[in-house]
Amino acid sequence: RPAMAPPPPPEGPGGAPPPLQYSLLLQHLVGEQRRPRAWDPAALGGIPSPPKSEEQKMVERAMESCAFKAALACVGGFVLGGAFGVFTAGIDTNVGFDPKDPYRTPTAKEVLKDMGQRGMSYAKNFAIVGAMFSCTECLVESYRGKSDWKNSVISGCITGGAIGFRAGLKAGVIGCGGFAAFSAAIDYYLR
């Protein structure tokens, strides 16, 4: 099979060869003819999304508010604390125990009553701590204008200090340090 030679380049006006194609391309990319490109995520392979309605924006603002975050943490803490309280009561051998009559076996009703009381106690405590921490973290984040690990450490210190301060200054300082360290560890693990 005979090899075909490339066709001769066409001649421009006056017999001069036309400019090379890559120089035309460079003029469009770098030179005077360059046009600014609009930012379009769909052009980069992103999924195009329609503009959001006012109702959608209102719902997003409500879900990002500190009040919503605190309420959500309160409900989550209540559920988690209740489950934890019932679990610890279930493995405790002293549930339903009557100190007046140590040889009496507690009835199922007494055991369930004690489990419910312990579950409710834990649920309330976890709900309060969750709401305090979430609200404090949201306020600290709003004040600082940043979302980083320092927010959870500061919030943990404030929450732990406020809870521990009821037992005195020393307990408040220990609560601040302990809760801040716990918050830092959880934040490090989650990020």
Side-chain angles (χ1 to χ4, degrees), residues 79-191:
V79 171
L80 183 65
F84 187 69
V86 169
F87 173 75
T88 57
I91 61 173
D92 188 4
T93 57
N94 290 331
V95 171
F97 177 74
D98 185 13
K100 296 174 190 168
D101 189 10
Y103 296 109
R104 189 179 69 79
T105 303
T107 64
K109 184 177 179 180
E110 292 170 340
V111 170
L112 290 175
K113 181 181 175 187
D114 280 356
M115 288 175 74
Q117 287 174 345
R118 186 178 295 188
M120 186 58 70
S121 174
Y122 275 60
K124 288 179 195 175
N125 290 335
F126 274 53
I128 290 169
V129 170
M132 280 179 66
F133 180 79
S134 178
C135 189
T136 307
E137 184 177 34
C138 185
L139 291 173
V140 168
E141 183 177 324
S142 298
Y143 178 75
R144 291 185 67 228
K146 295 178 184 177
S147 179
D148 58 2
W149 62 273
K150 293 177 185 176
N151 294 339
S152 62
V153 171
I154 294 168
S155 303
C157 181
I158 292 170
T159 303
I163 292 170
F165 192 69
R166 295 183 300 173
L169 182 62
K170 184 178 179 183
V173 170
I174 292 172
C176 172
F179 214 103
F182 180 73
S183 299
I186 293 296
D187 196 67
Y188 177 77
Y189 176 75
L190 291 178
R191 290 189 191 221

Side-chain angles (χ1 to χ4, degrees), residues 24-99:
L24 290 174
L25 180 66
L26 284 176
Q27 284 180 356
H28 283 285
L29 293 175
V30 181
E32 300 289 328
Q33 298 176 1
R34 183 175 72 107
R35 293 185 302 260
R37 184 166 30 152
W39 173 252
D40 183 17
L44 300 174
I47 299 172
S49 61
K52 295 179 181 173
S53 67
E54 287 301 317
E55 291 84 14
Q56 288 174 322
K57 291 178 184 177
M58 184 179 68
V59 168
E60 282 184 1
R61 281 192 301 269
M63 292 181 75
E64 289 295 321
S65 70
C66 292
F68 180 79
K69 289 179 180 179
L72 189 64
C74 184
V75 170
F78 188 84
V79 171
L80 183 65
F84 187 69
V86 169
F87 173 75
T88 57
I91 61 173
D92 188 4
T93 57
N94 290 331
V95 171
F97 177 74
D98 185 13

